[in-house]
Amino acid sequence: MSLELPKVHILTEGLPLKSFDLKEGANSIGRGEDNLIHLPESSISTNHGVFTVANGKVTFKDLDSTNGSFIDDNQITEAELKPGTVFRLGTIDFQLGGALVEIDKTKRGTARIQVMPTTGEKTQSISRTPSPFQVKGTRGIRLYYYFIALMIVAIVGVLVWTIILTK
């Protein structure tokens, strides 16, 4: 009797629902074509992470990805994934095996990265929601620097005046 190997399901809206069979041992995931699970999506790093299947357990290790790996909006570097666990790599939601769940679409904690071509080159830009806070001005710091410079000039002037008077 053989054990059924675990599957990873993509849950994110806008991507076709796909399931990937994990094999025993290391299973790489990333944007690079050399990964076992190849996802050409801009928020996924070239070599984002590795699922390891051993002794009936599945662990995931993030490979210093740019946009991180998360379980319940908590960033992880390595974690054991139980069947049914929902996790996020970059901006893509996944689930390990189990009955598929519906993702709460109101919870989004990371910035969306979009690749936009400019003059033939690809650059990344982060789109964020506008902040309700005002940007601080630099007037106060400039006044501080002017005050320090004035104090230095005054000290040097006093030292020079003292040297001239003692001669």
Side-chain angles (χ1 to χ4, degrees), residues 80-157:
E80 182 179 337
L81 303 175
K82 306 267 187 221
T85 301
V86 175
F87 56 98
R88 187 175 77 241
L89 307 180
T91 59
I92 308 298
D93 292 308
F94 297 87
Q95 181 180 2
L96 179 67
L100 291 178
V101 298
E102 189 70 27
I103 294 296
D104 181 1
K105 295 174 182 113
T106 61
K107 289 172 66 175
R108 285 286 171 216
T110 59
R112 300 276 183 188
I113 297 181
Q114 298 174 337
V115 178
M116 300 182 316
T118 56
T119 63
E121 295 179 21
K122 291 186 177 181
T123 59
Q124 290 187 351
S125 67
I126 299 176
S127 61
R128 298 182 187 265
T129 56
S131 173
F133 303 104
Q134 290 182 335
V135 177
K136 290 185 177 183
T138 58
R139 183 175 174 217
I141 196 77
R142 279 195 220 145
L143 289 174
Y144 175 75
Y145 288 139
Y146 289 141
F147 176 75
I148 296 297
L150 182 63
M151 293 303 293
I152 291 171
V153 169
I155 291 170
V156 169

Side-chain angles (χ1 to χ4, degrees), residues 41-68:
E41 212 286 324
S42 62
S43 72
I44 303 292
S45 292
T46 303
N47 296 303
H48 199 98
V50 175
F51 296 97
T52 303
V53 179
N55 302 321
K57 294 182 180 179
V58 177
T59 57
F60 177 80
K61 181 175 183 181
D62 185 280
L63 298 176
D64 294 325
S65 64
T66 303
N67 295 316

Side-chain angles (χ1 to χ4, degrees), residues 9 11 18 21 23 30 51 64 98 129-130 134 138 159 162:
H9 307 286
L11 301 176
K18 293 184 181 176
D21 293 319
K23 62 182 177 74
F51 296 97
D64 294 325
T129 56
Q134 290 182 335
T138 58
L159 287 174
T162 304

